[in-house]
Amino acid sequence: RVSRGPVSRSLHTIEAIDGLDEALDYCFLSPVFPSLSKTGYVPAWSREELCKRLSTGRTTALYALGGIGADNFQEALDLGFDGVVLHGVLWQSDDPLRVLSLMTKVAL
């Protein structure tokens, strides 16, 4: 018998938050902030709309993806996300380990 491992899904609309399947272990929502690696890839919702959707009860962990850096890491958590995904901030850095260390300090 093979273990299934974690089951996840990527969301690109805030309306999809309302219909999350309880069988999912976690989901990503993107882009939460203007993307650091994809020019012109920006959220299609307002901060107020996002806060409203995130304030409803859900059983699936939801992680912020897109445009996450040291300047908005805490903002993503304050919006109601369960965590963040670091992507462009690491890829575009000359020293991704230093950036990861900085982000870890911000998280604590």
Side-chain angles (χ1 to χ4, degrees):
R1 192 160 129 196
V2 177
S3 172
R4 71 176 176 93
V7 177
S8 66
R9 180 174 173 205
S10 293
L11 311 176
H12 302 284
T13 68
I14 60 171
E15 292 80 15
I17 295 171
D18 295 338
L20 290 178
D21 184 342
E22 290 186 18
L24 296 168
D25 295 303
Y26 59 90
C27 290
F28 303 115
L29 178 66
S30 73
V32 173
F33 301 108
S35 175
L36 301 174
S37 58
K38 296 178 184 176
T39 304
Y41 192 48
V42 297
W45 50 78
S46 71
R47 179 183 168 88
E48 293 75 25
E49 292 171 311
L50 183 57
C51 283
K52 183 178 178 182
R53 296 284 177 163
L54 293 176
S55 68
T56 62
R58 62 180 185 279
T59 58
T60 304
L62 186 61
Y63 294 91
L65 173 63
I68 307 294
D71 59 330
N72 57 16
F73 179 97
Q74 188 60 51
E75 181 181 353
L77 297 177
D78 292 345
L79 286 167
F81 285 97
D82 297 297
V84 300
V85 179
L86 302 178
H87 194 247
V89 72
L90 296 175
W91 282 9
Q92 294 181 347
S93 172
D94 292 333
D95 189 353
L97 292 177
R98 184 186 63 74
V99 172
L100 185 58
S101 176
L102 170 66
M103 296 299 286
T104 301
K105 289 176 186 171
V106 171
L108 301 175

